[in-house]
Amino acid sequence: MEEWIQVIDNGGNIDVIYLDVMKAFDQVPKNRLLTKLSSCGIKKNLLQWIDSFLTNRTLTVLVNGCKSGEGMATSGVPQGSVLGPLLFVIYINDLPNELLSAVYMFADDTKMFREMKDNSIRS
C-alpha cells in the first residue's frame, strides 16, 4: 500500500489486477511441478519422495452428510498438508519474472499493479 499511496500522493494513477485462481491447488500438473523442483536443485531421493507424495492420491466429496465414493486425484497438491502449499508456491514462484508489473503473491492470491504514466497504455 505504501507504494500506491506514494504514487497517488504525487498525483499519479495506478492500475491493479487481483487474481484468485479458482481451485489453484487442484490445478498444479504433477510432471511440471517435478520438473520445476528438479531445476531448483531438488534431486534424487527427495524428488522421488515428493513424487510418491503426489502419486496415487484419492479424494472424496462430502455434501450435506452424503459422501461420494473415492476417486483418483490426477493433479494438484494436497491443501490440508504442510508440504502442499509450499509446493504450490514453488510452482508459481517465477510468475513475477514474466510480468512488467509489480507483483505481490500470497498462496493462490496475486496482486499485480503499476503506475500508469500514460493513459494510452490502458487500451
Side-chain angles (χ1 to χ4, degrees):
M1 290 297 291
E2 289 179 28
E3 292 175 58
W4 296 7
I5 291 169
Q6 184 177 14
V7 170
I8 291 169
D9 283 348
N10 291 330
N13 296 304
I14 294 183
D15 276 358
V16 180
I17 298 174
Y18 288 94
L19 300 174
D20 186 357
V21 181
M22 184 173 66
K23 300 183 180 186
F25 282 73
D26 299 333
Q27 304 298 323
V28 176
K30 183 181 86 167
N31 289 337
R32 287 188 196 164
L33 174 60
L34 293 172
T35 299
K36 188 168 275 193
L37 290 169
S38 178
S39 71
C40 291
I42 296 175
K43 303 290 181 202
K44 299 186 181 184
N45 290 344
L46 182 56
L47 193 61
Q48 289 173 343
W49 182 83
I50 293 170
D51 185 17
S52 177
F53 175 72
L54 298 172
T55 303
N56 296 324
R57 293 182 306 113
T58 59
L59 55 92
T60 58
V61 177
L62 181 65
V63 177
N64 294 330
C66 294
K67 186 176 179 181
S68 72
E70 284 191 352
M72 292 300 296
T74 58
S75 66
V77 294
Q79 293 183 46
S81 67
V82 173
L83 188 57
L86 175 63
L87 292 174
F88 179 78
V89 168
I90 291 170
Y91 182 71
I92 66 164
N93 197 42
D94 58 355
L95 175 67
N97 300 341
E98 305 300 323
L99 302 172
L100 300 175
S101 302
V103 179
Y104 290 114
M105 299 185 308
F106 181 76
D108 63 335
D109 296 320
T110 302
K111 179 176 21 181
M112 302 180 298
F113 65 93
R114 68 179 172 171
E115 180 178 3
M116 301 309 296
K117 295 181 179 181
D118 180 357
N119 283 333
S120 66
I121 296 173
R122 292 182 179 201
S123 55

